[in-house]
Amino acid sequence: MDPALLSLRAVLVRAADPADAASRTAALNTVLRALLARFDDARYADAARALFGLPPGKAGTTLTRRREAAALACGHDVDHFRKRVEPRLVERLAWMLWQYSEHFRLTPIVAPRLSRAATAMPSLPADVFAWELTDHEAQLSRVWASVYALRAELLTLDRMAAMSADRQEVARQAITAAWRYGVLRADIADYLDAYPPGGFGALTEVTPERLTALAGWTPELGAEDIDMLTRTARTHRDRVGFVAAMRTEVALGNAWLDPWLDRRTTDKEAP
């Protein structure tokens, strides 16, 4: 395997132990599987996946068998596939991998790496600076937890739109995403209140907009709407309380819901 592949930033940030080649190899396999799952050429997507041992192919088989499965998936004979199609698919996957890695290279915001704790955390010394460092890490962890919580809800919305889910189900999920969005903005605001720009905080060089965008696409909202979601989430951290408090905000609700519902309609009507 080309060592350059194991040094890609998209691989390093996913490796449990970036210093270990086996860990980086496992991370590279994860990245490749994710890219193949959303291979951007619909005609040859199944062929690309089969070539690399994913369904409709079979893992653990020889390259010859995988080529046969890939050729069958795209309707070509094996010889034509090997000479004409396979090089283009490999080149396209390499381009996708490069683009994906460039995204990580150009995005300086990376969640803190976690490692397995072998023992219980030692007692903190009676030192104000040690307490502040611990409090900082706790608040930073809450921010990243909220980033991933929002991302989970947005990914669920993407899946529901692709599956043409029931309108009411999409609306309910979009409301959950709005709640998570508000909580994330509230957590970012709390963090920046405690660690304003110019201090040692890890996020002081990052705008709330850039950090929120890491979770995924959300409807464009005005400053007043974002402030409303943030303030409501700050006082109502639970979904039930948040939804009850936002019930009268009809215009804001429509601004958030309509893009999701329109997307569902567009996806459902797509050939």
Side-chain angles (χ1 to χ4, degrees):
M1 181 181 296
D2 190 336
L5 293 175
L6 299 182
S7 299
L8 292 171
R9 184 160 175 77
V11 173
L12 293 175
V13 300
R14 281 173 167 73
D17 181 3
D20 179 58
S23 181
R24 296 200 306 274
T25 299
L28 175 61
N29 286 335
T30 299
V31 171
L32 289 175
R33 289 175 69 91
L35 293 177
L36 286 165
R38 54 179 185 269
F39 195 77
D40 56 6
D41 186 334
R43 179 183 177 188
Y44 290 105
D46 281 344
R49 288 189 278 268
L51 182 63
F52 286 87
L54 300 179
K58 186 177 181 181
T61 55
T62 64
L63 178 57
T64 298
R65 293 298 185 189
R66 285 184 276 123
R67 278 179 175 147
E68 291 173 352
L72 180 63
C74 61
H76 292 300
D77 65 75
V78 176
D79 190 57
H80 176 80
F81 176 84
R82 180 178 61 82
K83 293 179 179 179
R84 304 291 185 183
V85 180
E86 181 181 321
R88 297 203 307 269
L89 297 185
V90 172
E91 182 179 350
R92 186 62 194 172
L93 182 61
W95 171 253
M96 292 174 66
L97 180 59
W98 179 82
Q99 283 190 313
Y100 193 54
S101 293
E102 280 295 285
H103 165 76
F104 279 95
R105 187 182 70 81
L106 297 174
T107 303
I109 317 168
V110 178
R113 189 177 305 281
L114 303 178
S115 59
R116 180 177 178 271
T119 61
M121 184 177 294
S123 299
L124 290 174
D127 181 276
V128 173
F129 185 67
W131 296 341
E132 185 173 8
L133 286 175
T134 303
D135 180 69
H136 173 257
E137 184 173 349
Q139 292 209 38
L140 186 62
S141 296
R142 291 189 189 100
V143 171
W144 282 109
S146 289
V147 169
Y148 282 104
L150 173 58
R151 179 165 178 77
E153 305 305 342
L154 295 178
L155 289 171
T156 301
L157 271 171
D158 286 340
R159 175 179 57 79
M160 293 174 72
M163 296 172 62
S164 299
D166 178 76
R167 180 185 179 89
Q168 291 301 317
E169 292 179 0
V170 173
R172 189 179 303 109
Q173 179 61 30
I175 292 171
T176 299
W179 164 56
R180 287 297 187 185
Y181 177 93
V183 170
L184 171 57
R185 296 295 296 225
D187 284 338
I188 295 172
D190 288 344
Y191 177 91
L192 294 177
D193 284 348
Y195 302 97
F200 72 89
L203 301 180
T204 54
E205 301 299 321
V206 179
T207 65
E209 290 71 26
R210 288 184 64 196
L211 190 57
T212 304
L214 291 180
W217 178 88
T218 56
E220 185 174 349
L221 301 175
E224 291 185 1
D225 288 341
I226 294 174
D227 184 60
M228 171 63 72
L229 289 170
T230 304
R231 286 188 288 108
T232 303
R234 259 180 159 170
T235 55
H236 301 278
R237 303 286 297 189
D238 64 297
R239 186 185 186 281
V240 173
F242 177 86
V243 173
M246 293 293 298
R247 197 173 298 278
T248 59
E249 300 295 329
V250 177
L252 173 52
N254 290 338
W256 180 271
L257 284 172
D258 287 349
W260 301 115
L261 298 176
D262 291 344
R263 180 183 173 189
R264 170 192 170 274
T265 301
T266 300
D267 288 349
K268 188 173 183 179
E269 293 175 353

